[in-house]
Structure formats: C-alpha cells, structure tokens
C-alpha cells in the first residue's frame, strides 16, 4: 500500500511538471485571448482517478504564476479545478466509445471563466458583453482543440495501450 501511494504521488508530481513544461514550451500559444494550451489535454486525466485533480490544479497554478499575471493565477486555477472535478464526475460516460462527455467541462468552464477574465483584465477595450462573448468563443475553440481533440485522443490511447494503462490507471484495492 505504501509503495502504491508513493507511486501515485510521484506520478502526479510528474503530471504537474508536465503541465508546466507544456505551457512554457508553447508559451506564445498557452496564454492570451486566442490560446491553444496543449497542456489542457491533460485535464482529461481525472477520468483515470481523482488523484490527478490536485496534480493538474498545481500544474495550472504554477504555469500561470510563471507565465501570466495574478488574475489568471486565480481565475485560471479555479477554472481548472472546476473542470477537473466535473470531468471526474463524467469519467464513465462515453460517446461512440470516446470520452467526449468528459471533455466538455474543460472546454465550457474555461470558455465561461477565462474568456471574460481576459476581456476584463487584459484588453484595452471595455469589457462589454460582446467582447466577453468573443473571448469566451476563442478560448472555447482553443479548448476544443486541446481537450476535445487532443485530450480525447490521449484518453483513447491510454485506454487502448496496455503499457500506458498500467502507468496512468490506478489499481483499485
């Protein structure tokens, strides 16, 4: 049991670090009004266990701390927490064998929280409802690529590859 807990802790530390590395490696795309944050594909990992939630929240927090400013540290991290919790709740739902329902929370939550956040805190124009809606749309489209395409493909790959399943899926005791 102790080995299993140590393994999970190490795995989650690696996931948090991977989230940060992906954000920093693709920094021009990871931050801003039009963003495709490739690290967000990892937000589907709570499908495989709740222990991924704190790892992803920590990874998002550190990424925003290193690559953005305080409002994004707060609102972006809250969005990731909510998205991961909802993804975990939808972990057993599949559409045509794919984890598409579980990809919806990160897409929608980030669009609703991060889109308006960008309009309010980072734009030179007034944060009107149409501007916030446009930002929500652009963030949502980026999330669609990261979570709806890459994240769903990642989950499918993990579920279909025995070696990856052993790495990512915790054994229930």
């Amino acid at each position: 049991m102790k080995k299993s807990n140590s393994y999970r802790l190490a795995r989650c530390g690696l996931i948090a670090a991977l989230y940060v590395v992906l954000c920093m490696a693709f920094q021009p795309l990871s931050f801003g009004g039009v963003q495709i944050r490739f690290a967000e594909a990892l937000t589907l990992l709570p499908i495989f266990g709740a222990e991924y939630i704190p790892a992803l929240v920590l990874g998002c927090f550190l990424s925003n701390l290193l690559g953005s400013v305080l409002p994004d540290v707060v609102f972006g991290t809250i969005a990731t927490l909510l998205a991961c919790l909802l993804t975990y709740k939808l972990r057993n739902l599949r559409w045509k064998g794919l984890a598409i329902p579980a990809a919806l929370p990160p897409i929608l939550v980030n669009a609703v929280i991060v889109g308006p956040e960008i309009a309010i805190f980072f734009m030179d124009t007034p944060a009107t409802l149409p501007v916030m809606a446009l930002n929500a749309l652009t963030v949502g489209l980026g999330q669609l690529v990261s979570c709806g395409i890459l994240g769903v493909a990642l989950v499918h790959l993990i579920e279909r590859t025995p070696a990856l399943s052993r790495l990512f899926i915790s054994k229930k005791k």
Side-chain angles (χ1 to χ4, degrees):
M1 184 69 131
K2 189 174 187 179
K3 182 179 176 185
S4 178
N5 287 337
S6 298
Y7 179 79
R8 283 189 201 143
L9 183 62
R11 180 177 57 199
C12 289
L14 288 171
I15 294 300
L18 180 59
Y19 189 103
V20 173
V21 167
L22 287 170
C23 283
M24 295 301 113
F26 297 101
Q27 192 164 11
L29 293 173
S30 296
F31 303 95
V34 177
Q35 57 181 257
I36 299 174
R37 190 177 275 201
F38 295 109
E40 284 289 298
L42 300 172
T43 62
L44 270 70
L45 290 178
I47 288 172
F48 303 120
E51 72 262 19
Y52 288 107
I53 296 170
L56 293 162
V57 171
L58 177 61
C60 178
F61 172 80
L62 293 173
S63 295
N64 289 339
L65 195 63
L66 293 170
S68 194
V69 294
L70 187 60
D72 206 30
V73 172
V74 173
F75 293 105
T77 303
I78 289 169
T80 295
L81 173 61
L82 292 173
C84 286
L85 289 170
L86 293 169
T87 293
Y88 179 73
K89 292 284 187 193
L90 299 175
R91 69 189 177 277
N92 295 319
L93 295 179
R94 297 291 186 271
W95 185 72
K96 295 191 177 188
L98 298 173
I100 292 170
L104 295 176
I107 295 168
L108 298 173
V109 169
N110 278 283
V112 168
I113 293 176
V114 176
E117 171 215 334
I118 291 168
I120 294 166
F121 294 107
F122 301 110
M123 296 187 71
D124 295 331
T125 59
T128 63
L129 191 56
V131 171
M132 288 190 286
L134 179 62
N135 281 339
L137 178 66
T138 62
V139 168
L141 289 173
Q143 289 291 108
L144 181 63
V145 171
S146 299
C147 301
I149 297 171
L150 298 176
V152 169
L154 176 64
V155 167
H156 186 71
L157 181 66
I158 291 169
E159 290 177 337
R160 300 289 182 248
T161 308
L164 291 176
S165 292
R166 285 190 299 276
L167 284 174
F168 285 94
I169 302 172
S170 297
K171 300 269 193 270
K172 301 289 183 196
K173 300 234 178 198

